[in-house]
Amino acid sequence: MNEIRSSITDGFWKQRREVNARQAIFHQWQQLERTGCIDNFRILAEGKPFARRGWFFADSDAYKWLEAAARILPVYPNQELTTLVNAFIELIGKAQETDGYLYTFNQIHFPGLRWVNLQIEHELYCFGHLIEAGVTHFETTGKENLLDIVGKAADRIVEDFSGKGTGATPGHQEVEIALLRLYKVTGENEYLEMAHQFIEMRGRDKGFAFNILRQSISNGRRVAQAEAHSKTHAAEEDLPSLPPMNRAEHPPLIKVRWVINALTGKLLQQHKPVRKQTVPVGHAVRFAYQMTAAAMYDRLTGDSAYESALEESWQRMVARRMYITGGIGALPVIEGFGRDFELDPNFAYAETCAALGSLFWNREMAGLTGEARFSDLFEWQLYNAALVGFGLDGRTYLYNNPLAADGGIERRPWYQVPCCPSNLSRTIAGLDADILTASGDSIELQQYISSWHHLQFNQHELLLAIESRLPWYGDVQIKIQPVTTREIKLHLRMPSWSAKTEILLNGEVIQTFAADQAERFDPTRASWFVLERAWQQDDQITLKFDMSPHLLRSDPKVRSVRGKAALACGPLVYCLESCDNPDVDIFNVVLDPDSITSRFDPDMLGGIRIISGKTIQGQPLTFIPYFLWGNRGISTMTVFVKLNENQSSK
Ligand code: FUB
Ligand code: ZN
């Protein structure tokens, strides 16, 4: 029996998981209720005389909420949340049609119509998040009530789509991940084959440009009909005006580029077969979900169908199409990738969900390849590109994450398209499963998060505790209590952001890693340090990572930030926020790089490590972690600062 039981016991991530469990999950339910998302299910289940509200794919936000709640409850039991979850599952069951179909937009506005405008209307995307909620609920509770509902939904898909061709693929990848997860818990081969068909049929529709045009026009008409239908049903109260999506600056001709992206198929990754997609293009969340599914498929089947696409697109993204924060999807409107090195800090879209999608992808790549670089990127994106979307209070969120904001961006309680909040919550709630992996005679420590683990695998059994003071201090203790005494290889990830790492075993230095590069974070440089021994009771490993503040100089190919640098310390990227630097114009300071120091400030933002510096004129500067910006009211912010000409070339 292979089983790893993990729990996050202390520190940085315990704090955030508590905010997630005690604030965010309830706040999100209130918002789903306030905006009518849950009522849409009541209209179907209880015949509630109400107009459907929200986007045609609004069901998905409620399903991600349900998945997050299912992950939270075993760790943070709560009667109120349990009641909400059980009532919502019952509601879903009643709203679902007897043949398994469930998509409130069609059921309310166009009863009997199904699978219309697949590239636009997100039916399969919604089915995917429903299925994932059911799989997670089963995995965390052992209950099968929601699993039965999602099994019927999956069977509906299999019956309606098996054997269909290139036109029958989802416009937004997600259902492929869900079907592969459902296959893993049920062993039902038809789900594996269905997922594979959706992946394989993508990018082969010769008439795609015509089809996407036709579907866009049809969707426009249907949405207008739906809105008219809603108004005729005289909603009891006007829908409160939802905050507009944050809009960063837009690059020139972005709308023209969006049309071209859509017609060529790149926007939806329909431009060529997945196995040939070696360059990240189009909508970033869709891309990340697609590559997650492709990696899952190869991992589950031992196939290498997508190996070159996975490897080459990962390398291209990291080297040329990813922000220094790990954010991906530079362009607004397209909500996706631009050209190589088109990484302007001002219009950076870098949607929170895109970072989350990249976490899911890197999690699968780590499992598929066993290489440290994927967990290195996972860690960097988790702290900087994903967590930035989650406000300290768990009740405000960022949707797009620019690296420079001049006052137009603020954290908001909800959005017209609220895809990020519940996506964040389900990911934060599931972090305990991302810390270590085990197979054969090896254990891989993927993430240095304070936690406790009971591992039983391949005749090995042992307890392992991690005490990590990251991200504020660089020391990690790993304590081992073996139950069986057979030799185990313990793989310790050497993070690329640490220029010098010391490893001690029971107090003795056994290895020192000194990186040979001035710059730090580059996941391709991450490595494993393997310790193989028959572990003894109370064996203790100490890791000491380098926490010196340092520059991350921009790539000279990124014109918009040429000659500038960001600052980093440990796994965190830092920024200047106006509220900490009232006496300077943060967009025009020139940093004296020899002036930077860091210290822990217990009174700031709940206790953080800040970086202090000076301008070349001697004015003081305070840098805070980028993920924490925007938590203190309207402000301006910049990740990049200018360097002296003669210093920027160093
Ligand atoms: O289309 C569904 C989700 O809404 C996408 O993943 C996000 O980018 C947002 O547009
Ligand atoms: Zn989102």
Side-chain angles (χ1 to χ4, degrees), residues 57 122 125 172 283 285-286 335 349 351 353 399 417 419:
F57 51 88
H122 286 59
Y125 170 84
H172 190 313
H283 186 280
V285 185
R286 287 178 168 88
E335 297 184 293
Y349 199 74
E351 182 181 345
C353 284
Y399 184 111
V417 175
C419 49

Side-chain angles (χ1 to χ4, degrees), residues 20-21 25 28-29 62-76 81-82 84-85 136-137 140-141 422 425-426 429:
N20 191 35
I25 201 71
Q28 292 170 19
W29 179 262
Y63 299 145
K64 281 182 273 185
W65 176 89
L66 183 55
E67 182 175 6
R71 285 183 175 159
I72 286 170
L73 278 170
V75 184
Y76 298 93
L81 188 57
T82 302
L84 287 175
V85 164
T136 296
H137 184 258
T140 57
T141 65
S422 50
S425 283
R426 69 174 181 146

Side-chain angles (χ1 to χ4, degrees), residues 28 30 50 105 139 148 164 293 357 372 390 498 515 525 548 623 630:
Q28 292 170 19
Q30 288 153 14
F50 219 82
F105 180 73
E139 287 173 339
D148 291 344
K164 287 276 179 71
F390 192 76
S498 175
R525 292 195 179 112
S548 54
F623 296 80

Side-chain angles (χ1 to χ4, degrees), residues 119 164-169 200-206 270:
Q119 297 309 310
K164 287 276 179 71
T166 60
T169 57
E200 269 305 287
M201 286 300 108
R202 191 169 208 90
R204 301 174 192 268
D205 177 2
K206 298 277 181 283
Q270 292 276 19

Side-chain angles (χ1 to χ4, degrees), residues 155-189:
D155 294 344
R156 178 77 274 124
I157 293 172
V158 170
E159 278 177 44
D160 291 354
F161 286 91
S162 279
K164 287 276 179 71
T166 60
T169 57
H172 190 313
Q173 298 87 330
E174 154 57 25
V175 72
E176 305 88 339
I177 296 173
L179 289 165
L180 290 170
R181 288 192 62 198
L182 188 59
Y183 163 69
K184 279 165 70 176
V185 295
T186 63
E188 295 287 342
N189 223 44

Side-chain angles (χ1 to χ4, degrees), residues 184-253:
K184 279 165 70 176
V185 295
T186 63
E188 295 287 342
N189 223 44
E190 59 186 12
Y191 301 141
L192 175 71
E193 288 163 5
M194 189 70 254
H196 189 225
Q197 177 187 315
F198 281 139
I199 298 170
E200 269 305 287
M201 286 300 108
R202 191 169 208 90
R204 301 174 192 268
D205 177 2
K206 298 277 181 283
F208 184 80
F210 169 73
N211 287 330
I212 192 84
L213 257 181
R214 178 177 54 78
Q215 293 188 26
S216 303
I217 294 164
S218 166
N219 171 254
R221 286 196 189 118
R222 284 164 43 87
V223 167
Q225 279 176 270
E227 283 171 357
H229 184 215
S230 293
K231 287 198 177 49
T232 55
H233 278 65
E236 287 152 11
E237 34 89 357
D238 283 341
L239 179 64
S241 62
L242 291 178
M245 273 199 290
N246 274 325
R247 285 266 180 238
E249 288 180 32
H250 286 181
L253 301 175

